[in-house]
Amino acid sequence: MRKQTVIMGIVAALVVAVSGSWSVRAQDPEATAPAAAPTEYRSIDALRRGAPLQEEPPAAPMARVLDGERRRERDWPEMPPTIPHSIDGYQVTRNANRCMVCHSRAGAERFMAPMVSVTHFMDRDSQVLAQVSPRRYFCTQCHVVQTDARVLVENDFLDVDTVIDRAREP
Ligand code: HEC
Ligand code: HEC
């Protein structure tokens, strides 16, 4: 009986102590101060360049097309090569394909342009057609012009030659 009372007393003292410390904390000026400024919501889209979502930052300057630049190395064999010349005003419509004026089999020699590769003549069953396959007709679906645009998202891509070289290193 006495033991129980002692235990109850300790429990009660603990409760008082704990609630006391809580009430002390509640009066703590730092604890009652208004919560820090609301979290700034930042976009993960690099195009916004870190501007909070509720703000409209000025548009980034457009990248400059590098006309007549050297052909860039492809990062992997199946990469569509980037376009080393301006394509301003080049139309690709149902009736006309300006790119094919120079890049067709017949036009390549005249304009000293590389002919589209044989994959551009293949249908989805790898059957080689007489003309560019519809799935390769809209050139800019895959090929982009070379510009001086800066990299928006950093990456640590290594091409396969580098990977092989590193694997061979003792
Ligand atoms: C007036 C002729 C002409 C037209 C039209 C033209 N090109 Fe080109 N293109 C060239 C020439 C010439 C080169 C080679 C440039 C060099 O070797 O530096 C070339 C290079 C390229 C390359 C690089 C190929 C490689 O192996 O690196 C691509 C891709 C390309 N053009 C795509 C296009 C696309 C897409 C269009 C249409 C939007 C187009 N070209 C329109 C003449 C043309
Ligand atoms: C569906 C994507 C796709 C489309 C559409 C496409 N290409 Fe390509 N292109 C590629 C790929 C991938 C390569 C590199 C591998 C290969 O040759 O298939 C390439 C390679 C090329 C090359 C280099 C050929 C060589 O032998 O070096 C030229 C030039 C080219 N394309 C021009 C064009 C033109 C012009 C068009 C429009 C008529 C076009 N491409 C449409 C994906 C495409």
Side-chain angles (χ1 to χ4, degrees), residues 75-88:
D75 287 331
W76 63 94
E78 312 91 330
M79 178 186 135
T82 48
I83 309 173
H85 54 74
S86 154
I87 56 165
D88 288 353

Side-chain angles (χ1 to χ4, degrees), residues 150-165:
R150 68 180 178 84
V151 178
L152 288 176
V153 179
E154 293 299 328
N155 70 83
D156 49 15
F157 173 83
L158 299 174
D159 75 352
V160 72
D161 295 340
T162 315
V163 172
I164 291 171
D165 282 351

Side-chain angles (χ1 to χ4, degrees), residues 70-163:
R70 281 179 49 201
R71 281 149 82 169
R72 285 185 188 165
E73 187 187 352
R74 301 182 204 181
D75 287 331
W76 63 94
E78 312 91 330
M79 178 186 135
T82 48
I83 309 173
H85 54 74
S86 154
I87 56 165
D88 288 353
Y90 288 1
Q91 278 192 8
V92 178
T93 65
R94 188 165 68 93
N95 302 318
N97 186 322
R98 182 70 177 271
C99 311
M100 288 306 280
V101 171
C102 303
H103 289 285
S104 62
R105 185 184 54 79
E109 192 203 354
R110 207 165 126 225
F111 293 97
M112 294 204 297
M115 185 190 113
V116 290
S117 60
V118 71
T119 55
H120 295 63
F121 294 87
M122 290 175 176
D123 65 13
R124 64 180 176 185
D125 302 316
S126 300
Q127 183 75 34
V128 181
L129 310 176
Q131 289 182 312
V132 160
S133 166
R135 56 212 272 272
R136 290 274 170 121
Y137 184 82
F138 293 101
C139 318
T140 49
Q141 196 183 315
C142 304
H143 296 279
V144 294
V145 157
Q146 294 174 186
T147 70
D148 63 356
R150 68 180 178 84
V151 178
L152 288 176
V153 179
E154 293 299 328
N155 70 83
D156 49 15
F157 173 83
L158 299 174
D159 75 352
V160 72
D161 295 340
T162 315
V163 172

Side-chain angles (χ1 to χ4, degrees), residues 16 21 23 31 33 54 62 77 84 90 93 103 114 116 130 163 166 169:
V16 167
S21 76
S23 59
Q54 62 271 32
M62 302 230 322
Y90 288 1
T93 65
H103 289 285
V116 290
V163 172
R166 288 200 181 172
E169 269 167 25

Side-chain angles (χ1 to χ4, degrees), residues 27-43:
Q27 279 151 23
D28 182 348
E30 243 173 23
T32 45
T39 326
E40 260 189 301
Y41 290 100
R42 293 198 176 273
S43 168

